[in-house]
Amino acid sequence: MKTKIHGIAGMVALLTISTFWMSTILVELFGSHDAIALVKRLIIWGMCLLIPSLIATGISGGLLGKENKSELSRRKMKRMPIIALNGLFILLPSAIVLNYLASNGAYSNTFYLVQSLELIAGAVNLFLITANTKDGFQLTKHPTNS
Ligand code: HEM
């Protein structure tokens, strides 16, 4: 049950953050200012799914990590604080600032600077969450894997 909740929450987090990242790139490249503002607003709503799913993944992962002390499990545990801090201190504030600027039509240098920071931080989290997903399935198949 714990593993199921953990796996589902982890996959929701992965799908949400990859959707944010891809839709940001696509709308910045091909969308109008109105479309950009809409995506920024939807990302704020999407945070209501991403944040609880990451919290659930982290808590259930922490419990699973107490039972599984393999090298893969320890590697997953080490990635989690980076994912959480990056999300809390870079991705969430960036999403709020970008939504504010876009909803006021302020596509200034500040907007593109914050947008670049958000894309880089998002790519880091996407990479780490993907690595944790891959290692998670490996651990389910071979619990004592190193
Ligand atoms: C964003 C972070 C994480 C994601 C996306 C993630 C994802 C996953 C996924 C998809 C599975 C496979 C579940 C299944 O087979 O149904 C899994 C299993 C597992 N995860 Fe995570 N995980 C994350 C964080 C953590 C953390 C911090 C730990 C702590 C060590 C952890 C420990 C484990 C363990 C031990 C398993 C194997 C459970 C078992 O089969 O008994 N995970 N994870």
Side-chain angles (χ1 to χ4, degrees):
M1 187 64 179
K2 225 184 301 167
T3 306
K4 243 201 180 101
I5 292 172
H6 177 71
I8 291 170
M11 293 308 292
V12 170
L14 177 63
L15 280 175
T16 320
I17 194 162
S18 41
T19 305
F20 289 0
W21 204 86
M22 283 307 297
S23 53
T24 297
I25 289 274
L26 290 176
V27 81
E28 289 289 350
L29 288 177
F30 307 114
S32 63
H33 279 173
D34 281 350
I36 295 175
L38 176 65
V39 167
K40 296 294 142 204
R41 198 160 60 243
L42 291 175
I43 287 178
I44 295 289
W45 284 106
M47 286 287 175
C48 302
L49 190 61
L50 177 61
I51 294 170
S53 66
L54 267 182
I55 292 173
T57 310
I59 292 174
S60 52
L63 295 173
L64 291 168
K66 278 192 184 144
E67 294 158 12
N68 187 317
K69 302 278 185 200
S70 66
E71 181 53 37
L72 267 193
S73 174
R74 275 195 285 133
R75 243 191 275 164
K76 290 190 65 169
M77 190 72 110
K78 273 195 208 154
R79 292 183 192 121
M80 200 63 219
I82 308 173
I83 295 170
L85 292 176
N86 192 0
L88 203 60
F89 293 110
I90 302 181
L91 293 175
L92 182 59
S94 302
I96 293 170
V97 169
L98 290 170
N99 180 46
Y100 175 79
L101 293 174
S103 66
N104 287 295
Y107 295 96
S108 53
N109 284 346
T110 309
F111 179 89
Y112 289 104
L113 195 74
V114 178
Q115 181 59 89
S116 309
L117 177 72
E118 188 198 46
L119 279 171
I120 294 167
V124 170
N125 260 14
L126 201 48
F127 175 82
L128 294 172
I129 293 174
T130 303
N132 265 8
T133 303
K134 193 172 135 272
D135 288 350
F137 284 123
Q138 182 73 15
L139 276 169
T140 301
K141 259 198 276 171
H142 308 286
T144 55
N145 224 357
S146 62

